[in-house]
């Protein structure tokens, strides 16, 4: 029985070491690595938390996308859910520190991310307007609202440290008092 527990523990540890380790994509990481736009297009991004986009249809508008259509008090509501861990890719950069990231196959379906100094310079979700309860942003050419908590949805990357580590070593010789 004891051998079975040890083998089970080794298997669990082995599987955990193979799983990806996501790190927040920060402005410091971006600046230190000096990545070009082409480099960034080859990076697989992930979202750190769920994002719920919601918009109301006006009477007479009927467009059904990959999101859900709900009817609430006779009003049609479209919701797009982007789950935590959903992979995304860079579509474009309107500025050096602004990324248009798409989590769908449609290049028009993108969200903007940029460094947030209040959130350790992580590349967080950007909106046109934020208030205490929600933010407004564009997605697929329409205006959607997102809950205020979505402001903390950030980009993450699978950052694996490779064997490029360089160690500089200096041995102090000591210092004596002058007599």
């Amino acid at each position: 029985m004891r051998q079975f527990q040890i083998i089970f523990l080794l298997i669990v540890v082995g599987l955990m070491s193979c799983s990806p380790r996501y790190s927040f994509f920060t402005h410091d990481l971006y600046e230190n690595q000096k990545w070009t736009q082409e480099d960034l297009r080859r990076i697989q991004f992930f979202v750190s938390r769920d994002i719920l986009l919601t918009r109301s249809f006006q009477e007479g508008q009927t467009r059904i996308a990959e999101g859900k259509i709900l009817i609430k008090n006779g009003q049609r509501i479209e919701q797009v859910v982007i789950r935590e861990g959903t992979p995304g890719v860079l579509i474009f950069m309107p500025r050096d520190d602004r990324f248009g990231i798409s989590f769908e196959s449609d290049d028009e379906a993108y969200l903007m991310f940029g460094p947030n100094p209040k959130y350790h310079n992580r590349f967080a979700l950007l909106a046109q307007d934020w208030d205490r309860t929600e933010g407004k942003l564009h997605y697929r050419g329409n205006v959607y609202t997102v809950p205020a908590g979505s402001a903390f949805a950030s980009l993450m990357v699978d950052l694996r440290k490779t064997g490029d580590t360089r160690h500089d070593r200096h041995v102090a010789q000591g210092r004596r008092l002058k007599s």
Side-chain angles (χ1 to χ4, degrees):
M1 184 68 174
R2 178 92 172 136
Q3 288 177 331
F4 176 73
Q5 290 174 335
I6 292 172
I7 291 171
F8 179 74
L9 182 64
L10 289 174
I11 290 172
V12 168
V13 169
L15 289 174
M16 287 176 54
S17 66
C18 296
S19 64
R21 293 189 192 140
Y22 297 139
S23 301
F24 286 103
F25 189 84
T26 63
H27 192 262
D28 291 340
L29 177 64
Y30 173 53
E31 288 291 315
N32 290 340
Q33 298 302 320
K34 296 180 178 31
W35 284 314
T36 66
Q37 187 168 346
E38 285 308 310
D39 293 333
L40 293 167
R41 286 182 189 273
R42 293 192 311 265
I43 294 175
Q44 181 67 70
F45 293 98
F46 300 90
V47 68
S48 67
R49 63 171 52 187
D50 290 355
I51 300 172
L52 175 65
L53 304 155
T54 305
R55 82 176 180 109
S56 299
F57 282 96
Q58 298 300 322
E59 195 59 40
Q61 285 184 315
T62 56
R63 180 175 168 262
I64 299 174
E66 287 111 31
K68 297 185 234 177
I69 302 271
L70 304 173
I71 297 179
K72 184 177 178 183
N73 297 333
Q75 187 179 26
R76 291 183 178 193
I77 309 289
E78 177 184 8
Q79 292 184 325
V80 178
V81 179
I82 301 169
R83 295 271 180 225
E84 174 184 340
T86 301
V89 296
L90 177 74
I91 300 299
F92 74 103
M93 293 173 60
R95 294 187 357 207
D96 279 347
D97 62 349
R98 298 291 186 261
F99 295 178
I101 303 288
S102 179
F103 298 97
E104 300 190 46
S105 59
D106 178 5
D107 284 355
E108 295 300 312
Y110 64 87
L111 297 172
M112 295 302 299
F113 290 84
N116 184 338
K118 295 178 183 176
Y119 199 38
H120 310 290
N121 272 330
R122 295 174 181 166
F123 272 67
L125 181 65
L126 300 175
Q128 291 174 312
D129 297 310
W130 287 107
D131 64 28
R132 289 180 179 254
T133 60
E134 66 185 15
K136 294 190 184 312
L137 52 78
H138 285 275
Y139 188 77
R140 281 198 184 113
N142 296 303
V143 177
Y144 285 81
T145 59
V146 292
S150 292
F152 299 108
S154 302
L155 293 178
M156 300 187 79
V157 291
D158 185 2
L159 186 63
R160 296 176 193 221
K161 307 280 187 209
T162 60
D164 313 2
T165 307
R166 194 176 97 199
H167 295 276
D168 292 332
R169 187 172 188 182
H170 172 77
V171 177
Q173 298 301 313
R175 183 175 176 176
R176 298 197 182 268
L177 288 172
K178 294 181 184 177
S179 11

